[in-house]
Amino acid sequence: MGQKLQFFVAGLGRFGKSVAVTLEKMGYDVMAMDIDEDVVQDLADTLGYVVCADCSDEKNLSAIGAGNADVAVVSVGELSASLMTTLLLKEMGVKKIVVKALDPLHGKMLQKIGADKVIYSEKEMGVRVAHNLISPGIVDYIEMENNITILSIHVPEDWIGKSILDIDIRKKYNITVVAIKRKGEMYVNPHPDMQLASDDMLIILGDSESVKRVTASLEQ
């Protein structure tokens, strides 16, 4: 596995808090900032590095080291502060910036100034987004009840050209490939002899710990 990703989260409302706490629990380095002192105090024991400051002020972003983040998540509830924070992070050289937009017009503005991903709805919950952020191989992530997770992923490089049977996915990873999406076609309950292609999308099912192992392989 390569060097561990570093994250910066600006704004710790429901969405931002969910992203930050999920990433922290997964063992990633998280820097977080919110202007509300009570919010920061509540998270002081949960997050390793959280400060009370205005994230739309360049001096504050520099002080926390936001420019060193691989990924920044901006979840600020005020339009001008959201735009300014995004612009400053872009100028600081953050590789990937994900921003929660207040409405479609806000989203268009964010894209114009360099946001890499714009999220419009609370339905795209922080836990889900956090898992999407840790690896470009993860397309979607849904946690269900009873510790079961459904994950959509690009085919790992070392699986290309091999069949499900060759890889021994169920035994090695304790997961099940429930479907393969290939060139617009969905193959549900695919045959074990089906060889995986580089542009396939896999929909897998498993318990959370097993899914974590697959996620780790995608980060390599």
Side-chain angles (χ1 to χ4, degrees), residues 114-149:
D116 298 289
K117 181 177 175 65
V118 176
I119 296 161
Y120 290 97
S121 174
E122 290 287 357
K123 291 179 182 178
E124 204 160 347
M125 292 302 294
V127 172
R128 190 170 174 181
V129 172
H131 284 85
N132 295 166
L133 293 176
I134 64 173
S135 171
I138 298 176
V139 179
D140 207 354
Y141 181 102
I142 303 172
E143 285 188 342
M144 303 176 69
E145 294 181 355
N146 302 319
N147 200 37
I148 298 299
T149 298

Side-chain angles (χ1 to χ4, degrees), residues 18-218:
S18 185
V19 171
V21 170
T22 299
L23 290 168
E24 185 84 20
K25 287 181 178 178
M26 292 167 67
Y28 288 90
D29 295 327
V30 181
M31 302 172 284
M33 184 180 292
D34 194 280
I35 202 168
D36 189 321
E37 188 172 351
D38 290 336
V39 170
V40 171
Q41 286 294 329
D42 287 344
L43 290 170
D45 294 331
T46 305
L47 299 176
Y49 192 16
V50 55
V51 299
C52 180
D54 180 2
C55 59
S56 63
D57 188 321
E58 186 174 6
K59 295 192 298 292
N60 295 334
L61 293 177
S62 296
I64 199 175
N68 297 321
D70 298 293
V71 182
V73 178
V74 180
S75 180
V76 181
E78 202 272 318
L79 189 144
S80 61
S82 171
L83 292 170
M84 180 59 70
T85 303
T86 302
L87 183 60
L88 289 170
L89 290 169
K90 189 72 177 179
E91 290 179 346
M92 291 173 123
V94 177
K95 298 169 190 173
K96 182 173 182 178
I97 304 173
V98 179
V99 192
K100 183 188 166 197
L102 304 174
D103 53 48
L105 179 59
H106 182 202
K108 287 181 181 178
M109 293 179 186
L110 290 166
Q111 289 174 326
K112 288 284 187 183
I113 62 174
D116 298 289
K117 181 177 175 65
V118 176
I119 296 161
Y120 290 97
S121 174
E122 290 287 357
K123 291 179 182 178
E124 204 160 347
M125 292 302 294
V127 172
R128 190 170 174 181
V129 172
H131 284 85
N132 295 166
L133 293 176
I134 64 173
S135 171
I138 298 176
V139 179
D140 207 354
Y141 181 102
I142 303 172
E143 285 188 342
M144 303 176 69
E145 294 181 355
N146 302 319
N147 200 37
I148 298 299
T149 298
I150 298 176
L151 192 69
S152 299
I153 62 172
H154 294 294
V155 177
E157 189 173 349
D158 57 350
W159 292 10
I160 296 171
K162 300 176 182 177
S163 69
I164 296 171
L165 191 61
D166 291 334
I167 303 165
D168 203 5
I169 292 175
R170 189 186 293 256
K171 185 175 180 181
K172 186 174 181 181
Y173 295 96
N174 195 33
I175 61 170
T176 301
V177 178
V178 295
I180 297 174
K181 186 175 182 181
R182 176 176 294 174
K183 296 179 180 178
E185 295 288 329
M186 187 69 77
Y187 298 87
V188 179
N189 194 22
H191 194 279
D193 290 332
M194 188 173 180
Q195 288 194 333
L196 303 179
S198 59
D199 57 350
D200 285 348
M201 194 82 68
L202 306 183
I203 292 82
I204 63 176
L205 178 72
D207 64 85
S208 297
E209 286 303 314
S210 299
V211 165
K212 280 182 183 177
R213 286 196 291 274
V214 177
T215 298
S217 74
L218 293 172

